[in-house]
Amino acid sequence: MKPQTQESICSGKVVSIHGGVVDVQFDDEAPRLNNLLYAGSLPMEVATSPRNGVVQCMALHSTQGLGLGAEVRDTGAPIQVPVGDAVLGRMLNLFGEPLDELPEPVSQSRRSIHQKPPTLQERVRATEILETGIKAIDLLAPIQRGGKTGLFGGAGVGKTVLLTELINNTIKQYHGVSLFCGIGERSREAEELYRDMGDAGVRDNTVMMFGQMNEAPGVRFRIGNAALAIAEYFRDERHQDVLLLVDNIYRFVQAGSEVSGLLGRMPSRVGYQPTLATELGALQERIASTHNGSITSIQAVYVPADDLTDPAAVHIFSHLTASVVLSRKRASQGLYPAIDPLASNSIMLTPAVVGQRHYDIAREVRRTLAEYDELRDIIAMLGIEELSAHDRAVVGRARRLERFLTQPFATVGSRETRTAAPVSLEDTLQGCETLLSQTEFPLPESAYYMAGTLAEIEARAS
């Protein structure tokens, strides 16, 4: 790890090492909170205020080989990352160093990863929808341009696949800068994303930053701040719109819990750190739209044991403008994307924003699927033949709507079979409107499964 080029201000020595936390004694003036220190080539960040001249630091690399009494140098400034055109098309780590085996980005300026969020007077609220081409999202949980959207789900229900498809569909039509932040994810996924973005021709306008699963908890805890520092530069200095994609924001909470435990703080509910709400709020409040530009964020959120009442999920929910919940039950039925139509929602789904027609269709789709949910037990016990004609029609519409809201993804499967295309919002509304008006069903349920528009379905059936 190459030391950043700040002039050394003061020095101290290591007095204690426990895991990823190092205690450093300073005889003279102690460094400020969040300052970057170096013990040899090991970078550390000051995590607590000094107590009797001792500060606790998060190690940003393995502490193997570090000994007691080692000299520590204060750089006099926080971690800083390069910003500007030099970082576009690059894959970088927490310090802005390359992970793509290309030369280090040469930038005229660097920016501290710790920035204050915009004030209330600087913020603006956008009422524009970011169309994704994914039917279930555009219909039931439309994404706000300049807002924050969460993709909630347990392990293996398709969060990363859905996020990858959103990248594929939105970056191409997004006239701004895109920034992908990988927090605690697998190295394999980083390499695949880098290659796929190159194949799609969108990498040159994208910045990728990774704090990977095998790195120190301090790196995973701060990589989101580093990504936001770059996003804020393009918003504030270049007056551009930024699309920020995060996979996985839960790993940020998890890293914070690891650091908190090593710092000796008493755990709070379910073992999470007592500072969970503060740390999450400090990160999320920086994602905002101002008069200079906007930051639109889409974040994958791992839900432990599929429990949406988990404290981490609850705190993340409170910061979002749209929540897309992935259901394990729907995934087990093969209904992909496995989006739960009753649990997913968005503040944009109001007549004033999306229009009365869209609002009415979305509400009727939800009502039909909710009625079908209530009838499932009766069908399981007595069979569909025992239902009234009205209820049988509801079941027929609901089962076809469930399958119509599935669609093939362009990013899944071999390159030879990737024939899927985004579906426009108008085609989605037209298809749902037609299905909701039907009392007799000329096409079988299977015809609507993994298809695009209603016109494609009818052409395929004929």
Side-chain angles (χ1 to χ4, degrees):
M1 186 69 66
K2 183 171 63 178
Q4 296 190 344
T5 57
Q6 290 93 358
E7 184 181 349
S8 182
I9 304 300
C10 55
S11 63
K13 62 180 180 179
V14 175
V15 294
S16 176
I17 305 168
H18 32 101
V21 170
V22 179
D23 291 353
V24 183
Q25 173 79 51
F26 286 87
D27 295 328
D28 300 324
E29 183 182 356
R32 295 189 300 272
L33 204 62
N34 297 327
N35 268 16
L36 178 64
L37 313 180
Y38 278 95
S41 61
L42 171 67
M44 304 183 292
E45 185 185 79
V46 178
T48 63
S49 299
R51 184 182 304 168
N52 299 324
V54 176
V55 295
Q56 290 184 297
C57 306
M58 287 189 301
L60 303 175
H61 202 271
S62 171
T63 56
Q64 186 175 2
L66 181 66
L68 299 181
E71 184 182 353
V72 177
R73 307 183 312 281
D74 175 22
T75 63
I79 300 168
Q80 297 184 352
V81 291
V83 293
D85 293 336
V87 299
L88 292 176
R90 303 301 305 273
M91 182 192 286
L92 307 172
N93 67 8
L94 173 64
F95 300 92
E97 297 168 345
L99 298 173
D100 50 15
E101 299 182 349
L102 295 175
E104 189 164 339
V106 179
S107 175
Q108 298 300 318
S109 58
R110 300 179 75 92
R111 191 180 180 101
S112 167
I113 68 170
H114 298 285
Q115 302 288 337
K116 292 182 179 179
T119 64
L120 292 177
Q121 290 79 9
E122 293 171 329
R123 294 170 184 259
V124 296
R125 181 181 175 184
T127 56
E128 187 182 350
I129 299 297
L130 179 66
E131 197 170 318
T132 67
I134 298 173
K135 292 183 282 188
I137 292 179
D138 290 341
L139 175 68
L140 301 170
I143 292 176
Q144 178 188 22
R145 188 183 288 266
K148 289 172 277 205
T149 300
L151 309 179
F152 290 82
V157 295
K159 296 185 300 301
T160 299
V161 171
L162 183 56
L163 187 65
T164 306
E165 186 71 8
L166 283 166
I167 292 170
N168 182 72
N169 292 1
T170 55
I171 284 183
K172 291 176 183 176
Q173 58 164 311
Y174 200 83
H175 304 296
V177 174
S178 302
L179 203 153
F180 181 89
C181 176
I183 305 178
E185 289 303 297
R186 302 164 187 84
S187 304
R188 168 183 57 80
E189 292 175 344
E191 187 273 330
E192 288 175 356
L193 180 68
Y194 181 79
R195 182 162 27 86
D196 288 345
M197 281 192 167
D199 293 342
V202 296
R203 192 166 63 203
D204 290 343
N205 214 34
T206 304
V207 187
M208 283 168 276
M209 300 200 74
F210 290 94
Q212 296 169 40
M213 188 177 280
N214 62 329
E215 296 193 71
V219 172
R220 290 179 271 124
F221 189 54
R222 288 302 186 213
I223 190 67
N225 296 68
L228 270 171
I230 296 176
E232 288 163 339
Y233 169 82
F234 284 106
R235 180 194 66 191
D236 299 335
E237 305 298 329
R238 295 292 186 87
H239 299 241
Q240 290 181 283
D241 292 334
V242 181
L243 179 62
L244 174 65
L245 304 130
V246 183
D247 189 10
N248 186 304
I249 198 67
Y250 177 78
R251 306 294 179 200
F252 165 79
V253 174
Q254 204 172 37
S257 181
E258 289 182 54
V259 171
S260 178
L262 291 168
L263 290 173
R265 296 175 184 147
M266 185 69 71
S268 183
R269 287 181 57 204
V270 201
Y272 287 110
Q273 62 270 40
T275 52
L276 169 61
T278 306
E279 291 167 355
L280 193 59
L283 186 75
Q284 295 282 4
E285 287 304 303
R286 290 172 62 181
I287 304 172
S289 296
T290 69
H291 297 287
N292 296 321
S294 67
I295 299 178
T296 304
S297 173
I298 302 174
Q299 310 170 15
V301 186
Y302 169 71
V303 181
D306 295 333
D307 179 15
L308 290 172
T309 64
D310 185 87
V314 170
H315 280 94
I316 294 169
F317 263 122
S318 64
H319 292 280
L320 303 176
T321 56
S323 303
V324 179
V325 179
L326 301 180
S327 161
R328 190 170 300 281
K329 182 179 179 183
R330 292 178 68 82
S332 67
Q333 295 170 342
L335 300 174
Y336 290 103
I339 295 170
D340 188 331
L342 303 180
S344 303
N345 60 73
S346 168
I347 66 168
M348 305 302 283
L349 193 60
T350 63
V353 177
V354 299
Q356 191 66 46
R357 176 175 174 243
H358 182 165
Y359 175 74
D360 288 343
I361 291 172
R363 191 170 66 168
E364 187 63 20
V365 166
R366 279 208 177 104
R367 188 188 66 78
T368 303
L369 294 174
E371 275 190 57
Y372 174 47
D373 227 31
E374 293 172 359
L375 293 169
R376 285 179 191 272
D377 290 342
I378 298 174
I379 296 170
M381 289 187 292
L382 303 177
I384 196 169
E385 296 79 10
E386 298 300 318
L387 298 179
S388 66
H390 169 76
D391 286 346
R392 282 201 298 273
V394 167
V395 172
R397 283 195 292 270
R399 289 179 65 84
R400 283 162 177 80
L401 280 169
E402 280 187 333
R403 283 150 182 78
F404 178 67
L405 292 177
T406 65
Q407 66 188 93
F409 281 175
T411 55
V412 176
S414 65
R415 299 184 190 280
E416 292 75 19
T417 60
R418 293 181 188 179
T419 57
V423 179
S424 71
L425 177 58
E426 178 55 37
D427 286 336
T428 301
L429 294 175
Q430 182 63 46
C432 291
E433 199 171 38
T434 302
L435 285 169
L436 289 167
S437 66
Q438 290 181 343
T439 52
E440 296 182 357
F441 309 102
L443 297 179
E445 296 170 6
S446 58
Y448 297 90
Y449 181 68
M450 282 295 168
T453 65
L454 199 61
E456 290 175 25
I457 294 168
E458 290 169 350
R460 189 168 67 178
S462 63

